[in-house]
Amino acid sequence: MKGIVFTEFLDLVEEKFGLEMVDKIITSSNLKSEGIYTSVGTYEFSEMLQLLTKLSENTNIAIDNLLQVYAEHFFSVIKRSYSGILQMYSDPIEMLASIENHIHVEVRKIYPDAELPTFQVLEKTPTKLVLIYKSSRAMHAFGLGLMNKTFEHFNTASTIEFEKLNDAATEVKFIVNKI
Ligand code: HEM
């Protein structure tokens, strides 16, 4: 997992819960990196899972809720650092339908070792999109947060439902409607 995901995560933890919490989740985890991340570095996903688990234990907030809030923050990082990609879209359905064939393709050009999910388009109309998310990292809640912010970015209202296709939630169906 790319360092930018860690540095932005720890920044948000500090903003919401304070520096003591950052220190607490780092020191109580077993991290090869010792909790020192640079935005361009690459670190094991298991480190993010440990940090999320410790944060969840200390705040009593479910990991999926933490991931969704984190994704909403990450969207502002995308706006700041990858505005060129966002500017190519004027419609949220078009943008979400293009994660697989365009957006994450561009991300991979920037970070060849990025660990990205796949999003298969099952159905697409001007107002509806059905996607299948697949990733061994089971971060669909991160996807949900980014989807919410995508609609907000285009000042468009939406309903986003999802259905886990397996217990591990490594495969999740998203049903997205523009309203
Ligand atoms: C992961 C970039 C849009 C869903 C990532 C990562 C980056 C990234 C850098 C981390 C990869 C790693 O750590 O190795 C971007 C950029 C976008 C964008 C620059 C827009 C310009 C989206 C959108 C979604 C999405 C709209 C909506 C669903 C995800 C998910 C992951 C991810 C779920 C977590 C990894 C996983 O589930 O395996 N993206 N992304 N991304 N992205 Fe995107």
Side-chain angles (χ1 to χ4, degrees):
M1 174 159 272
K2 294 311 298 177
I4 190 171
V5 184
F6 288 89
T7 55
E8 291 295 338
F9 175 72
L10 293 176
D11 280 356
L12 185 66
V13 173
E14 181 179 345
E15 188 190 309
K16 301 269 185 205
F17 304 105
L19 200 53
E20 299 73 26
M21 183 64 88
V22 174
D23 200 52
K24 200 171 186 176
I25 63 173
I26 288 176
T27 52
S28 61
S29 297
N30 186 4
L31 307 171
K32 217 189 249 177
S33 71
E34 298 182 342
I36 301 159
Y37 304 103
T38 67
S39 62
V40 291
T42 303
Y43 307 89
E44 286 174 12
F45 172 67
S46 64
E47 296 206 0
M48 178 52 74
L49 205 54
Q50 286 191 69
L51 293 169
L52 279 166
T53 304
K54 296 292 176 194
L55 185 62
S56 172
E57 286 169 5
N58 282 289
T59 58
N60 278 321
I61 303 171
I63 288 184
D64 279 353
N65 291 346
L66 292 170
L67 268 177
Q68 188 181 333
V69 171
Y70 174 42
E72 291 174 2
H73 165 79
F74 198 77
F75 196 84
S76 64
V77 177
I78 290 176
K79 272 189 172 174
R80 191 175 69 221
S81 304
Y82 309 99
S83 57
I85 303 179
L86 281 189
Q87 277 162 14
M88 298 178 75
Y89 296 94
S90 54
D91 176 85
I93 298 269
E94 289 301 331
M95 177 166 152
L96 295 179
S98 306
I99 302 169
E100 184 69 16
N101 295 332
H102 172 240
I103 296 179
H104 279 171
V105 174
E106 293 301 313
V107 172
R108 196 171 290 292
K109 287 183 194 163
I110 307 167
Y111 304 119
D113 56 355
E115 295 177 306
L116 297 162
T118 63
F119 281 98
Q120 182 194 352
V121 178
L122 278 197
E123 191 185 328
K124 179 175 176 277
T125 75
T127 57
K128 183 177 183 187
L129 185 66
V130 181
L131 292 173
I132 303 282
Y133 162 89
K134 286 188 195 172
S135 166
S136 60
R137 289 163 294 285
M139 288 176 69
H140 69 283
F142 189 80
L144 179 62
L146 290 176
M147 289 185 196
N148 282 333
K149 283 287 169 182
T150 300
F151 275 91
E152 201 179 299
H153 176 70
F154 294 107
N155 292 312
T156 307
S158 65
T159 60
I160 302 177
E161 292 166 74
F162 65 86
E163 181 193 336
K164 294 181 185 175
L165 300 181
N166 59 11
D167 286 344
T170 55
E171 297 190 15
V172 177
K173 183 187 209 174
F174 281 96
I175 300 146
V176 179
N177 278 289
K178 202 193 256 190
I179 45 177

